[in-house]
Amino acid sequence: MPDRHLADVQRRVTDAVQRPSSPTADAPRAEELLLPSARGMTPAQRLDVYREQFWSRHLASLADDYPTLTWVIGGAGSFRDLAADYLRARPPSTWDLQRLGADLPAFVAGHARWRDEPLARDAARVDWAFMEAFDAADAPPFDPRVLASTPEDAWPGARVALHPSLRFLALGSPVHELRDALKRGAPVTRPAAAITHAVVWRDPSCFLHAASVEPLAFELLVALSGGAPLGEACEAVARAGAADVTELGDKLGAWFQHWTASAWISAVRTGE
């Protein structure tokens, strides 16, 4: 019975704290949950302190995590309204503020105001990809000498391990460039619609980047990230992209040089 009572009190305090308006008007309810403070604060005032901290801290954290989305939907005021809707619909389930916005891209995609705005949906996805890339696991640096020492006949069966921070985004516009301009404080305009394939990653110095890649390279990276051997991945991409394997082979050397220089490749394993 005491445990059930405690759980009920905790639930009621949580409900009160997550209300967007002040609970001071509901003083009798607050008095059922809290005692007056030794410094003279009433139960309702004490509850209001927790409520203000909940909203100010969580709204500020989401705004920090979603700068591109904030700009796209009209600035801080519009984002605050969206973030408040999000917090009411999906209250935090963990103490980790890094995970607070994990469901926001899906929430934007289903939000009555923004679900028909592809730029808003893509901006949310790009911002969250940066969060995921920052928090992703690390991997030891790749030794490019492995490429030169790998026998030619081993390449079709080779499995290419990509750095864990890589995130792949098929977008309706180059919204990652908008984010970069915002972070640099450069002049920004709404990007025109253009099918864009982007990669977000964290470099060895822990700086975050995003770059566009050509569609065939993007599809190959996605296939490799799923664990497909190189030869199998190339054949699948060639079929899907109406390109032949020879054409891919001509591009592959330059792609691997770029991917290695960008620290996208963590390992190349043969003979597995």
PDB file of all heavy atoms in Angstrom, residues 125 167-171 196-200 211-225 237 255 259:
ATOM      1  N   ARG A 125      15.432  15.870 -39.775  1.00  0.00           N
ATOM      2  CA  ARG A 125      16.259  14.676 -39.980  1.00  0.00           C
ATOM      3  C   ARG A 125      17.744  15.018 -39.992  1.00  0.00           C
ATOM      4  O   ARG A 125      18.566  14.294 -39.421  1.00  0.00           O
ATOM      5  CB  ARG A 125      15.853  13.992 -41.281  1.00  0.00           C
ATOM      6  CG  ARG A 125      14.454  13.386 -41.258  1.00  0.00           C
ATOM      7  CD  ARG A 125      14.056  12.894 -42.641  1.00  0.00           C
ATOM      8  NE  ARG A 125      14.996  11.896 -43.109  1.00  0.00           N
ATOM      9  CZ  ARG A 125      15.436  11.798 -44.373  1.00  0.00           C
ATOM     10  NH1 ARG A 125      15.009  12.669 -45.282  1.00  0.00           N
ATOM     11  NH2 ARG A 125      16.271  10.853 -44.717  1.00  0.00           N
ATOM     12  N   ARG A 167      26.042   8.796 -41.107  1.00  0.00           N
ATOM     13  CA  ARG A 167      24.587   8.796 -41.269  1.00  0.00           C
ATOM     14  C   ARG A 167      24.269   9.171 -42.708  1.00  0.00           C
ATOM     15  O   ARG A 167      24.878  10.087 -43.266  1.00  0.00           O
ATOM     16  CB  ARG A 167      23.914   9.780 -40.297  1.00  0.00           C
ATOM     17  CG  ARG A 167      24.099   9.427 -38.829  1.00  0.00           C
ATOM     18  CD  ARG A 167      23.403   8.115 -38.493  1.00  0.00           C
ATOM     19  NE  ARG A 167      23.500   7.735 -37.090  1.00  0.00           N
ATOM     20  CZ  ARG A 167      24.472   6.998 -36.569  1.00  0.00           C
ATOM     21  NH1 ARG A 167      25.468   6.582 -37.332  1.00  0.00           N
ATOM     22  NH2 ARG A 167      24.467   6.671 -35.294  1.00  0.00           N
ATOM     23  N   PHE A 168      23.314   8.471 -43.318  1.00  0.00           N
ATOM     24  CA  PHE A 168      22.988   8.651 -44.725  1.00  0.00           C
ATOM     25  C   PHE A 168      21.586   9.233 -44.862  1.00  0.00           C
ATOM     26  O   PHE A 168      20.623   8.704 -44.288  1.00  0.00           O
ATOM     27  CB  PHE A 168      23.082   7.313 -45.460  1.00  0.00           C
ATOM     28  CG  PHE A 168      24.395   6.610 -45.238  1.00  0.00           C
ATOM     29  CD1 PHE A 168      24.482   5.523 -44.378  1.00  0.00           C
ATOM     30  CD2 PHE A 168      25.551   7.047 -45.855  1.00  0.00           C
ATOM     31  CE1 PHE A 168      25.682   4.880 -44.157  1.00  0.00           C
ATOM     32  CE2 PHE A 168      26.765   6.421 -45.646  1.00  0.00           C
ATOM     33  CZ  PHE A 168      26.835   5.334 -44.794  1.00  0.00           C
ATOM     34  N   LEU A 169      21.473  10.308 -45.632  1.00  0.00           N
ATOM     35  CA  LEU A 169      20.206  11.027 -45.741  1.00  0.00           C
ATOM     36  C   LEU A 169      19.864  11.289 -47.203  1.00  0.00           C
ATOM     37  O   LEU A 169      20.629  11.950 -47.920  1.00  0.00           O
ATOM     38  CB  LEU A 169      20.292  12.363 -45.005  1.00  0.00           C
ATOM     39  CG  LEU A 169      20.530  12.313 -43.492  1.00  0.00           C
ATOM     40  CD1 LEU A 169      20.955  13.682 -42.987  1.00  0.00           C
ATOM     41  CD2 LEU A 169      19.276  11.840 -42.782  1.00  0.00           C
ATOM     42  N   ALA A 170      18.727  10.764 -47.646  1.00  0.00           N
ATOM     43  CA  ALA A 170      18.176  11.123 -48.947  1.00  0.00           C
ATOM     44  C   ALA A 170      17.197  12.269 -48.708  1.00  0.00           C
ATOM     45  O   ALA A 170      16.186  12.102 -48.009  1.00  0.00           O
ATOM     46  CB  ALA A 170      17.475   9.929 -49.580  1.00  0.00           C
ATOM     47  N   LEU A 171      17.494  13.433 -49.276  1.00  0.00           N
ATOM     48  CA  LEU A 171      16.772  14.660 -48.956  1.00  0.00           C
ATOM     49  C   LEU A 171      16.119  15.249 -50.203  1.00  0.00           C
ATOM     50  O   LEU A 171      16.531  14.966 -51.326  1.00  0.00           O
ATOM     51  CB  LEU A 171      17.732  15.691 -48.348  1.00  0.00           C
ATOM     52  CG  LEU A 171      18.527  15.238 -47.119  1.00  0.00           C
ATOM     53  CD1 LEU A 171      19.665  16.219 -46.839  1.00  0.00           C
ATOM     54  CD2 LEU A 171      17.610  15.097 -45.914  1.00  0.00           C
ATOM     55  N   THR A 196      18.815  15.298 -53.132  1.00  0.00           N
ATOM     56  CA  THR A 196      20.161  15.411 -52.571  1.00  0.00           C
ATOM     57  C   THR A 196      20.476  14.169 -51.739  1.00  0.00           C
ATOM     58  O   THR A 196      19.625  13.699 -50.975  1.00  0.00           O
ATOM     59  CB  THR A 196      20.275  16.660 -51.675  1.00  0.00           C
ATOM     60  OG1 THR A 196      19.945  17.824 -52.443  1.00  0.00           O
ATOM     61  CG2 THR A 196      21.676  16.811 -51.114  1.00  0.00           C
ATOM     62  N   HIS A 197      21.676  13.650 -51.910  1.00  0.00           N
ATOM     63  CA  HIS A 197      22.144  12.520 -51.100  1.00  0.00           C
ATOM     64  C   HIS A 197      23.300  13.019 -50.244  1.00  0.00           C
ATOM     65  O   HIS A 197      24.326  13.461 -50.782  1.00  0.00           O
ATOM     66  CB  HIS A 197      22.589  11.366 -51.993  1.00  0.00           C
ATOM     67  CG  HIS A 197      21.479  10.807 -52.828  1.00  0.00           C
ATOM     68  ND1 HIS A 197      21.106  11.362 -54.041  1.00  0.00           N
ATOM     69  CD2 HIS A 197      20.630   9.762 -52.616  1.00  0.00           C
ATOM     70  CE1 HIS A 197      20.100  10.687 -54.542  1.00  0.00           C
ATOM     71  NE2 HIS A 197      19.795   9.702 -53.698  1.00  0.00           N
ATOM     72  N   ALA A 198      23.123  12.960 -48.945  1.00  0.00           N
ATOM     73  CA  ALA A 198      24.103  13.558 -48.028  1.00  0.00           C
ATOM     74  C   ALA A 198      24.599  12.530 -47.019  1.00  0.00           C
ATOM     75  O   ALA A 198      23.880  11.600 -46.632  1.00  0.00           O
ATOM     76  CB  ALA A 198      23.493  14.749 -47.296  1.00  0.00           C
ATOM     77  N   VAL A 199      25.842  12.733 -46.606  1.00  0.00           N
ATOM     78  CA  VAL A 199      26.458  11.930 -45.548  1.00  0.00           C
ATOM     79  C   VAL A 199      26.845  12.869 -44.417  1.00  0.00           C
ATOM     80  O   VAL A 199      27.434  13.927 -44.654  1.00  0.00           O
ATOM     81  CB  VAL A 199      27.703  11.189 -46.067  1.00  0.00           C
ATOM     82  CG1 VAL A 199      28.379  10.412 -44.928  1.00  0.00           C
ATOM     83  CG2 VAL A 199      27.332  10.248 -47.198  1.00  0.00           C
ATOM     84  N   VAL A 200      26.489  12.488 -43.197  1.00  0.00           N
ATOM     85  CA  VAL A 200      26.887  13.221 -41.991  1.00  0.00           C
ATOM     86  C   VAL A 200      27.860  12.335 -41.228  1.00  0.00           C
ATOM     87  O   VAL A 200      27.634  11.124 -41.098  1.00  0.00           O
ATOM     88  CB  VAL A 200      25.662  13.560 -41.118  1.00  0.00           C
ATOM     89  CG1 VAL A 200      26.083  14.228 -39.813  1.00  0.00           C
ATOM     90  CG2 VAL A 200      24.678  14.444 -41.885  1.00  0.00           C
ATOM     91  N   ALA A 211      28.213  16.300 -46.205  1.00  0.00           N
ATOM     92  CA  ALA A 211      28.602  16.521 -47.587  1.00  0.00           C
ATOM     93  C   ALA A 211      27.665  15.764 -48.506  1.00  0.00           C
ATOM     94  O   ALA A 211      27.152  14.691 -48.146  1.00  0.00           O
ATOM     95  CB  ALA A 211      30.042  16.067 -47.823  1.00  0.00           C
ATOM     96  N   SER A 212      27.449  16.323 -49.690  1.00  0.00           N
ATOM     97  CA  SER A 212      26.670  15.635 -50.713  1.00  0.00           C
ATOM     98  C   SER A 212      27.557  14.622 -51.427  1.00  0.00           C
ATOM     99  O   SER A 212      28.755  14.849 -51.608  1.00  0.00           O
ATOM    100  CB  SER A 212      26.125  16.635 -51.733  1.00  0.00           C
ATOM    101  OG  SER A 212      25.281  17.582 -51.122  1.00  0.00           O
ATOM    102  N   VAL A 213      26.964  13.519 -51.832  1.00  0.00           N
ATOM    103  CA  VAL A 213      27.671  12.526 -52.644  1.00  0.00           C
ATOM    104  C   VAL A 213      26.789  12.165 -53.824  1.00  0.00           C
ATOM    105  O   VAL A 213      25.558  12.333 -53.772  1.00  0.00           O
ATOM    106  CB  VAL A 213      28.023  11.258 -51.835  1.00  0.00           C
ATOM    107  CG1 VAL A 213      28.977  11.571 -50.706  1.00  0.00           C
ATOM    108  CG2 VAL A 213      26.761  10.600 -51.283  1.00  0.00           C
ATOM    109  N   GLU A 214      27.400  11.665 -54.891  1.00  0.00           N
ATOM    110  CA  GLU A 214      26.595  11.301 -56.054  1.00  0.00           C
ATOM    111  C   GLU A 214      25.734  10.083 -55.730  1.00  0.00           C
ATOM    112  O   GLU A 214      26.092   9.262 -54.864  1.00  0.00           O
ATOM    113  CB  GLU A 214      27.480  11.061 -57.263  1.00  0.00           C
ATOM    114  CG  GLU A 214      28.510   9.960 -57.126  1.00  0.00           C
ATOM    115  CD  GLU A 214      29.366   9.852 -58.380  1.00  0.00           C
ATOM    116  OE1 GLU A 214      28.858   9.302 -59.386  1.00  0.00           O
ATOM    117  OE2 GLU A 214      30.519  10.321 -58.355  1.00  0.00           O
ATOM    118  N   PRO A 215      24.607   9.938 -56.410  1.00  0.00           N
ATOM    119  CA  PRO A 215      23.640   8.896 -56.025  1.00  0.00           C
ATOM    120  C   PRO A 215      24.214   7.487 -55.994  1.00  0.00           C
ATOM    121  O   PRO A 215      23.922   6.715 -55.064  1.00  0.00           O
ATOM    122  CB  PRO A 215      22.546   9.028 -57.090  1.00  0.00           C
ATOM    123  CG  PRO A 215      22.613  10.460 -57.514  1.00  0.00           C
ATOM    124  CD  PRO A 215      24.070  10.828 -57.449  1.00  0.00           C
ATOM    125  N   LEU A 216      25.027   7.102 -57.001  1.00  0.00           N
ATOM    126  CA  LEU A 216      25.564   5.741 -57.015  1.00  0.00           C
ATOM    127  C   LEU A 216      26.490   5.498 -55.826  1.00  0.00           C
ATOM    128  O   LEU A 216      26.458   4.431 -55.208  1.00  0.00           O
ATOM    129  CB  LEU A 216      26.318   5.483 -58.319  1.00  0.00           C
ATOM    130  CG  LEU A 216      25.458   5.287 -59.574  1.00  0.00           C
ATOM    131  CD1 LEU A 216      26.346   5.098 -60.795  1.00  0.00           C
ATOM    132  CD2 LEU A 216      24.514   4.107 -59.417  1.00  0.00           C
ATOM    133  N   ALA A 217      27.312   6.487 -55.495  1.00  0.00           N
ATOM    134  CA  ALA A 217      28.193   6.351 -54.337  1.00  0.00           C
ATOM    135  C   ALA A 217      27.373   6.227 -53.059  1.00  0.00           C
ATOM    136  O   ALA A 217      27.708   5.433 -52.160  1.00  0.00           O
ATOM    137  CB  ALA A 217      29.140   7.544 -54.253  1.00  0.00           C
ATOM    138  N   PHE A 218      26.305   7.003 -52.957  1.00  0.00           N
ATOM    139  CA  PHE A 218      25.434   6.958 -51.790  1.00  0.00           C
ATOM    140  C   PHE A 218      24.837   5.563 -51.618  1.00  0.00           C
ATOM    141  O   PHE A 218      24.861   4.986 -50.520  1.00  0.00           O
ATOM    142  CB  PHE A 218      24.327   8.001 -51.950  1.00  0.00           C
ATOM    143  CG  PHE A 218      23.359   8.077 -50.807  1.00  0.00           C
ATOM    144  CD1 PHE A 218      23.608   8.886 -49.711  1.00  0.00           C
ATOM    145  CD2 PHE A 218      22.170   7.341 -50.825  1.00  0.00           C
ATOM    146  CE1 PHE A 218      22.716   8.974 -48.657  1.00  0.00           C
ATOM    147  CE2 PHE A 218      21.263   7.415 -49.776  1.00  0.00           C
ATOM    148  CZ  PHE A 218      21.544   8.237 -48.698  1.00  0.00           C
ATOM    149  N   GLU A 219      24.304   5.017 -52.731  1.00  0.00           N
ATOM    150  CA  GLU A 219      23.677   3.695 -52.648  1.00  0.00           C
ATOM    151  C   GLU A 219      24.701   2.625 -52.291  1.00  0.00           C
ATOM    152  O   GLU A 219      24.399   1.690 -51.544  1.00  0.00           O
ATOM    153  CB  GLU A 219      23.009   3.357 -53.979  1.00  0.00           C
ATOM    154  CG  GLU A 219      21.835   4.267 -54.334  1.00  0.00           C
ATOM    155  CD  GLU A 219      20.728   4.244 -53.298  1.00  0.00           C
ATOM    156  OE1 GLU A 219      20.573   3.205 -52.604  1.00  0.00           O
ATOM    157  OE2 GLU A 219      20.014   5.253 -53.159  1.00  0.00           O
ATOM    158  N   LEU A 220      25.918   2.768 -52.792  1.00  0.00           N
ATOM    159  CA  LEU A 220      26.953   1.794 -52.460  1.00  0.00           C
ATOM    160  C   LEU A 220      27.322   1.887 -50.984  1.00  0.00           C
ATOM    161  O   LEU A 220      27.482   0.860 -50.307  1.00  0.00           O
ATOM    162  CB  LEU A 220      28.184   2.019 -53.332  1.00  0.00           C
ATOM    163  CG  LEU A 220      29.342   1.036 -53.119  1.00  0.00           C
ATOM    164  CD1 LEU A 220      28.890  -0.405 -53.344  1.00  0.00           C
ATOM    165  CD2 LEU A 220      30.511   1.367 -54.041  1.00  0.00           C
ATOM    166  N   LEU A 221      27.444   3.087 -50.466  1.00  0.00           N
ATOM    167  CA  LEU A 221      27.751   3.252 -49.043  1.00  0.00           C
ATOM    168  C   LEU A 221      26.660   2.635 -48.169  1.00  0.00           C
ATOM    169  O   LEU A 221      26.955   1.976 -47.169  1.00  0.00           O
ATOM    170  CB  LEU A 221      27.900   4.737 -48.717  1.00  0.00           C
ATOM    171  CG  LEU A 221      29.203   5.408 -49.168  1.00  0.00           C
ATOM    172  CD1 LEU A 221      29.066   6.934 -49.112  1.00  0.00           C
ATOM    173  CD2 LEU A 221      30.376   4.953 -48.295  1.00  0.00           C
ATOM    174  N   VAL A 222      25.415   2.857 -48.551  1.00  0.00           N
ATOM    175  CA  VAL A 222      24.309   2.283 -47.779  1.00  0.00           C
ATOM    176  C   VAL A 222      24.375   0.762 -47.802  1.00  0.00           C
ATOM    177  O   VAL A 222      24.187   0.087 -46.777  1.00  0.00           O
ATOM    178  CB  VAL A 222      22.960   2.787 -48.319  1.00  0.00           C
ATOM    179  CG1 VAL A 222      21.796   2.025 -47.682  1.00  0.00           C
ATOM    180  CG2 VAL A 222      22.808   4.283 -48.064  1.00  0.00           C
ATOM    181  N   ALA A 223      24.662   0.191 -48.981  1.00  0.00           N
ATOM    182  CA  ALA A 223      24.755  -1.267 -49.083  1.00  0.00           C
ATOM    183  C   ALA A 223      25.916  -1.799 -48.246  1.00  0.00           C
ATOM    184  O   ALA A 223      25.788  -2.815 -47.560  1.00  0.00           O
ATOM    185  CB  ALA A 223      24.929  -1.669 -50.548  1.00  0.00           C
ATOM    186  N   LEU A 224      27.053  -1.119 -48.289  1.00  0.00           N
ATOM    187  CA  LEU A 224      28.204  -1.550 -47.497  1.00  0.00           C
ATOM    188  C   LEU A 224      27.918  -1.437 -46.003  1.00  0.00           C
ATOM    189  O   LEU A 224      28.340  -2.288 -45.212  1.00  0.00           O
ATOM    190  CB  LEU A 224      29.431  -0.723 -47.860  1.00  0.00           C
ATOM    191  CG  LEU A 224      29.985  -0.908 -49.278  1.00  0.00           C
ATOM    192  CD1 LEU A 224      31.096   0.096 -49.546  1.00  0.00           C
ATOM    193  CD2 LEU A 224      30.481  -2.333 -49.493  1.00  0.00           C
ATOM    194  N   SER A 225      27.198  -0.397 -45.617  1.00  0.00           N
ATOM    195  CA  SER A 225      26.878  -0.225 -44.196  1.00  0.00           C
ATOM    196  C   SER A 225      25.984  -1.338 -43.682  1.00  0.00           C
ATOM    197  O   SER A 225      25.965  -1.627 -42.490  1.00  0.00           O
ATOM    198  CB  SER A 225      26.215   1.136 -43.957  1.00  0.00           C
ATOM    199  OG  SER A 225      24.896   1.157 -44.461  1.00  0.00           O
ATOM    200  N   VAL A 237      23.849  -2.197 -56.694  1.00  0.00           N
ATOM    201  CA  VAL A 237      23.774  -0.780 -57.039  1.00  0.00           C
ATOM    202  C   VAL A 237      23.710  -0.602 -58.550  1.00  0.00           C
ATOM    203  O   VAL A 237      22.970   0.244 -59.066  1.00  0.00           O
ATOM    204  CB  VAL A 237      24.970  -0.015 -56.444  1.00  0.00           C
ATOM    205  CG1 VAL A 237      25.044   1.403 -56.996  1.00  0.00           C
ATOM    206  CG2 VAL A 237      24.870   0.021 -54.930  1.00  0.00           C
ATOM    207  N   TRP A 255      36.438   6.878 -55.376  1.00  0.00           N
ATOM    208  CA  TRP A 255      35.558   6.923 -54.205  1.00  0.00           C
ATOM    209  C   TRP A 255      36.306   6.446 -52.964  1.00  0.00           C
ATOM    210  O   TRP A 255      36.223   7.079 -51.908  1.00  0.00           O
ATOM    211  CB  TRP A 255      34.337   6.039 -54.438  1.00  0.00           C
ATOM    212  CG  TRP A 255      33.340   6.601 -55.405  1.00  0.00           C
ATOM    213  CD1 TRP A 255      33.298   7.866 -55.899  1.00  0.00           C
ATOM    214  CD2 TRP A 255      32.245   5.891 -55.984  1.00  0.00           C
ATOM    215  NE1 TRP A 255      32.240   8.009 -56.757  1.00  0.00           N
ATOM    216  CE2 TRP A 255      31.572   6.813 -56.832  1.00  0.00           C
ATOM    217  CE3 TRP A 255      31.759   4.590 -55.895  1.00  0.00           C
ATOM    218  CZ2 TRP A 255      30.440   6.460 -57.567  1.00  0.00           C
ATOM    219  CZ3 TRP A 255      30.632   4.229 -56.622  1.00  0.00           C
ATOM    220  CH2 TRP A 255      29.986   5.156 -57.437  1.00  0.00           C
ATOM    221  N   TRP A 259      36.838   8.379 -49.539  1.00  0.00           N
ATOM    222  CA  TRP A 259      36.265   7.863 -48.298  1.00  0.00           C
ATOM    223  C   TRP A 259      37.354   7.607 -47.258  1.00  0.00           C
ATOM    224  O   TRP A 259      37.139   7.830 -46.067  1.00  0.00           O
ATOM    225  CB  TRP A 259      35.490   6.573 -48.574  1.00  0.00           C
ATOM    226  CG  TRP A 259      34.337   6.737 -49.524  1.00  0.00           C
ATOM    227  CD1 TRP A 259      33.774   7.921 -49.948  1.00  0.00           C
ATOM    228  CD2 TRP A 259      33.626   5.695 -50.185  1.00  0.00           C
ATOM    229  NE1 TRP A 259      32.747   7.677 -50.829  1.00  0.00           N
ATOM    230  CE2 TRP A 259      32.627   6.321 -50.997  1.00  0.00           C
ATOM    231  CE3 TRP A 259      33.709   4.307 -50.197  1.00  0.00           C
ATOM    232  CZ2 TRP A 259      31.740   5.587 -51.786  1.00  0.00           C
ATOM    233  CZ3 TRP A 259      32.820   3.573 -50.979  1.00  0.00           C
ATOM    234  CH2 TRP A 259      31.848   4.206 -51.760  1.00  0.00           C
TER     235      TRP A 259
END
